Amino acid sequence: MGLTDAVTAIPLAANGDVHAPWNGHDTRVLIVAVIGIGIIVALIVVLKVHAFLSLTIGALFVGLASGIPAGDVTKSYELGVGGVLGYVGVLIALGAMVGKLLADSGGADQVVDTLLRGKRSVLPWKMALIAAIIGIPMFFEIGLVLLVPVVVLAIRRTGVRAMLLAIPALAGLSVLHGFIPPHPGPLAAIGVLHGNVGITLALGLLVAIPAVVIAGPLFGQLAARWVPIGAAGAGLEVAGGVQDGEPGATGGSPSGPGGVETATEQAQRTRTPSFTWTIVTVLSPVVLMLLKAASDVWMSKDNALYPVLQFIGDPVFALLFAVLLAMYTFGTSIGFGIPVLSKKIGLSLLPISGVMLIVGAGGGFKQVLVDGGTGTAIAKIAIAANLSALLLGWIVAVLIRLATGSATVATVTAAGIVAPLAVGENSTHIALVILAIGAGSLFFSHVNDAGFWLVKEYFGMTVGETIKTWSVMETIISVVGLGMVLLLSAFL
């Protein structure tokens, strides 16, 4: 989701001629895509093959069966994997470092203590609000790796089912990714349709609020009953592993792969970071990225300050800055020595190494689908439906999303198809078309979406559990988003 799309997929959206007549290859690639997804699910669920191997096998099958030249199939897969790991992988690693230091320093406890004040029933709403605020400038993947320690620790401290808090956080991040500039999907659609950033942002917030409420805290209660799990997966390890007295705790040295502090490290820590410094550290990349976003919208590229803000607001620099700041606020300032900090940073990478490979393989599978022509075939079907710009934009985005797993490919393709229908429309109507496309681009994330695997691994769910929670949540966001767009269109 998000970053992988922005890096690798936008140039590919226009590879095929979506206005050309339907042909046998279009039928072929759709059948192959369905079979390929079925192979991946069967390998993981039935044969219990590791997700990385399953996605790789499925991608190579789809590439060969779609008619991509045999010598280019692995190149297509490698391009998709590299696009993810070359950018998202770096961000996941940096975010895991901040998360590890946040958890081991006691900073996450400070945040959770603040969140737990008042009625426990309000906690899911607080989690959705925090996620939405963090998600304004941040891509989904970055917000997730920063929020995971807080979410998991809150789950452990309260003893509630994981999805009761995880779904509101995921909804807050995902909704902003689909509807609000400066995220790549909305910005790409604004560029294609010549929309107004300010109007799209204002209407996007109106659409986002009910989408977060319904798909987050409200659906989270149902998701928690469907999948009644506790804290688990890579997220638990990043947040400090299983503590003494908790289910699954073991005797012996607590300095295993989960990264729990040893007695020596605990003795070095002389105090806990204050709540203020904890918030400053966690939100520092948010501020830097907001500055970049503001410069994109309101500053001339000729301004001498523009390249500086572009550099410091880039996600890689923003998160690197947060890591360096955390080494002080969550490290040396509370008594940890540099050797201990180096050890903790090394431990932070252990639980997410497998996650990154799986996410990378998901990007490879998506790339093979796109290069094979699945997205073009889906777009042809949608054009034949001959609907209004709002509905057509949503349907095209939904179908491309289902076929390729790429939100930005879905957004750019749908925007290009409906662009002729939007000519001459006012800025408000164009903004609503952009938001309808954004809603469609979030529909039912599944095995061809790298974000699906990121959520699955971080919260320790099976494929089926991830579909019942994450995939359904994404679908609710998409449908509520479309409903809000149609409602606004009736009054504006």
Side-chain angles (χ1 to χ4, degrees):
M1 188 174 188
L3 293 170
T4 63
D5 301 336
V7 174
T8 65
I10 290 179
L12 296 170
N15 276 357
D17 183 1
V18 297
H19 297 285
W22 186 267
N23 55 53
H25 180 263
D26 296 322
T27 304
R28 174 183 176 183
V29 294
L30 290 181
I31 295 172
V32 166
V34 173
I35 296 173
I37 292 169
I39 288 174
I40 292 171
V41 173
L43 287 173
I44 295 172
V45 176
V46 180
L47 300 180
K48 308 299 181 185
V49 177
H50 191 274
F52 174 75
L53 292 176
S54 301
L55 284 163
T56 303
I57 292 169
L60 297 181
F61 165 80
V62 168
L64 290 170
S66 296
I68 298 176
D72 294 334
V73 171
T74 54
K75 293 179 183 178
S76 177
Y77 172 74
E78 291 163 5
L79 177 63
V81 173
V84 173
L85 297 184
Y87 193 53
V88 177
V90 174
L91 300 180
I92 292 173
L94 291 171
M97 293 175 189
V98 176
K100 174 66 174 171
L101 296 177
L102 174 68
D104 285 3
S105 67
D109 290 278
Q110 293 277 30
V111 177
V112 172
D113 286 341
T114 303
L115 287 174
L116 293 181
R117 291 173 187 168
K119 296 181 179 179
R120 293 288 178 91
S121 59
V122 184
L123 187 55
W125 297 87
K126 293 179 180 178
M127 201 66 73
L129 178 62
I130 290 174
I133 292 172
I134 289 178
I136 290 173
M138 284 194 170
F139 296 110
F140 175 83
E141 293 89 341
I142 307 173
L144 179 59
V145 295
L146 289 180
L147 274 179
V148 158
V150 174
V151 174
V152 172
L153 187 57
I155 293 167
R156 286 166 51 179
R157 291 272 295 277
T158 59
V160 301
R161 293 173 176 177
M163 292 301 107
L164 194 63
L165 301 185
I167 287 295
L170 292 171
L173 293 173
S174 184
V175 166
L176 273 293
H177 168 79
F179 296 128
I180 306 299
H183 290 278
L187 278 182
I190 288 170
V192 173
L193 295 171
H194 306 290
N196 181 288
V197 173
I199 294 175
T200 304
L201 176 61
L203 294 178
L205 290 173
L206 292 178
V207 172
I209 292 171
V212 170
V213 169
I214 295 171
L218 296 183
F219 173 65
Q221 298 179 31
L222 182 59
R225 291 198 293 268
W226 285 353
V227 182
I229 61 172
L236 178 59
E237 296 184 63
V238 169
V242 182
Q243 304 289 349
D244 293 337
E246 290 185 331
T250 57
S253 173
S255 58
V260 182
E261 291 179 292
T262 64
T264 302
E265 292 168 4
Q266 289 174 338
Q268 282 190 356
R269 195 176 84 187
T270 56
R271 64 186 183 87
T272 300
S274 67
F275 176 76
T276 300
W277 274 113
T278 299
I279 294 300
V280 167
T281 304
V282 172
L283 293 185
S284 62
V286 178
V287 173
L288 292 176
M289 292 174 71
L290 273 175
L291 289 174
K292 178 182 182 297
S295 71
D296 286 330
V297 176
W298 290 298
M299 185 177 288
S300 168
K301 293 183 180 181
D302 297 327
N303 191 303
L305 194 58
Y306 180 80
V308 176
L309 296 178
Q310 291 292 302
F311 176 73
I312 66 173
D314 182 85
V316 172
F317 178 87
L319 275 175
L320 176 61
F321 176 84
V323 171
L324 297 177
L325 181 59
M327 291 179 68
Y328 171 73
T329 57
F330 300 153
T332 56
S333 70
I334 63 171
F336 288 139
I338 297 298
V340 171
L341 287 176
S342 297
K343 178 183 176 183
K344 289 183 179 298
I345 287 174
L347 287 172
S348 73
L349 300 177
L350 294 179
I352 55 97
S353 57
V355 174
M356 287 197 292
L357 284 174
I358 293 170
V359 170
F365 181 61
K366 177 264 298 180
Q367 191 70 39
V368 171
L369 285 170
V370 172
D371 289 350
T374 305
T376 302
I378 290 293
K380 288 181 181 181
I381 295 174
I383 290 174
N386 194 26
L387 300 170
S388 69
L390 287 176
L391 287 175
L392 180 62
W394 185 80
I395 290 173
V396 173
V398 165
L399 295 176
I400 301 294
R401 163 71 157 176
L402 289 172
T404 68
S406 170
T408 305
V409 167
T411 299
V412 175
T413 303
I417 288 172
V418 303
L421 300 179
V423 173
E425 296 288 350
N426 60 48
S427 298
T428 299
H429 183 77
I430 291 175
L432 292 175
V433 172
I434 292 168
L435 294 173
I437 291 171
S441 73
L442 298 178
F443 192 88
F444 197 78
S445 163
H446 61 98
V447 297
N448 59 358
D449 177 18
F452 177 93
W453 299 103
L454 194 62
V455 172
K456 174 188 177 298
E457 295 300 314
Y458 262 125
F459 292 102
M461 294 186 286
T462 66
V463 169
E465 289 171 339
T466 311
I467 289 174
K468 286 193 288 187
T469 53
W470 161 255
S471 301
V472 173
M473 181 207 80
E474 289 281 85
T475 304
I476 292 172
I477 292 172
S478 180
V479 174
V480 171
L482 174 64
M484 284 299 300
V485 167
L486 293 176
L487 181 63
L488 289 172
S489 70
F491 294 97
L492 297 176

